[in-house]
Amino acid sequence: MKKLFALLLAAIMVLSLAACGAKKDDKMVYAVEAGSAGEAAAKEAGFEINSVDTQAKALMEVQSGTSAAAIIDSLMAGAMVGEGTSYPDLKVTDQKLTEELYGVGCRKGSNLAAFINGVFAETYAAGTMQEIATTYGVQEALVEQKSEIIDVPTDGDVANIVKNGKLIVGITDFAPMDYKDDKGEWIGFDADMAKIVAEKLGVEIEFVEIDWDSKIMELDSGNIDVVWNGMTMTDAVLEAMECSVAYCNNAQVVVNK
């Protein structure tokens, strides 16, 4: 009887600790990715936040009960939350904090952004972009691309990438845009589109996981050539980077149990 009582008491303590972690000073705590549009939206709304490395970790915080809810991209929520996903016990609420657009970020003044626009236009006209989007379930979010002729520049960033023989892409683990398959290879809508750009340039591709909060520094330092990871084109991003045209619609949504 004493052993049973001890087990019950331990269970109650665990549940109490989880509940305390989910609230702070009687406020709900929202898990967000540091440096993300979700973090910015939460701060603007005056929410109590728990900043973590990735949006995937934000979902883990909710699953474990250490945060009451998470604010993540709607495209990720569609792939990761609900029945038949990695988090079947979580759900997307009706609360939508923002509506936004994804773009690819290059160094300020880089001609790589214009080249990527050309690849977007060509693959959209051929239907390839739509096929890849359907593979990863983001076809409804796709933004129509205008017709454009691809021209490989012989100077600037593009010429340097061609000379080096490699396109270095900064990403995080962010399904369905960038994530690893069973063989440990990077796949996803963004990853597959980046591979096409590398192929058009005639170079190899290298994916480098970065701290999302340091993406601008990684780009400016030359550690990566491009940020391609479901990046919301905020005012801060547009000011700091040379961005491609928008290619996907997105929103910041709230996820809880």
Side-chain angles (χ1 to χ4, degrees), residues 111-176:
N111 56 2
L112 178 60
F115 182 78
I116 290 170
N117 290 344
V119 175
F120 281 170
E122 183 179 86
T123 53
Y124 190 89
T128 308
M129 195 178 197
Q130 295 90 319
E131 290 175 8
I132 295 172
T134 301
T135 298
Y136 297 104
V138 300
Q139 66 274 14
E140 297 299 323
L142 209 59
V143 174
E144 183 179 355
Q145 301 295 305
K146 294 180 179 179
S147 179
E148 192 172 324
I149 298 174
I150 295 182
D151 181 28
V152 181
T154 57
D155 59 359
D157 264 6
V158 170
N160 289 332
I161 291 166
V162 172
K163 181 180 179 181
N164 293 333
K166 184 185 293 185
L167 176 67
I168 305 174
V169 183
I171 59 172
T172 67
D173 190 343
F174 176 42

Side-chain angles (χ1 to χ4, degrees), residues 176-204:
M177 312 314 279
D178 294 301
Y179 63 101
K180 288 184 177 180
D181 63 12
D182 295 338
K183 297 179 181 178
E185 299 293 327
W186 286 103
I187 60 171
F189 179 75
D190 282 350
D192 285 8
M193 290 300 300
K195 290 171 187 176
I196 293 176
V197 169
E199 183 182 343
K200 296 286 184 184
L201 290 171
V203 300
E204 295 180 358

Side-chain angles (χ1 to χ4, degrees), residues 63-132:
Q63 183 71 31
S64 67
T66 50
S67 291
I71 299 173
I72 65 171
D73 289 30
S74 61
L75 291 181
M76 183 181 197
M80 299 287 287
V81 174
E83 187 176 351
T85 69
S86 301
Y87 295 94
D89 298 330
L90 302 186
K91 66 176 183 179
V92 181
T93 70
D94 293 332
Q95 190 175 10
K96 186 184 289 186
L97 300 180
T98 65
E99 291 188 5
E100 56 206 32
L101 295 168
Y102 279 168
V104 182
C106 307
R107 278 179 286 277
K108 201 68 177 175
S110 173
N111 56 2
L112 178 60
F115 182 78
I116 290 170
N117 290 344
V119 175
F120 281 170
E122 183 179 86
T123 53
Y124 190 89
T128 308
M129 195 178 197
Q130 295 90 319
E131 290 175 8
I132 295 172

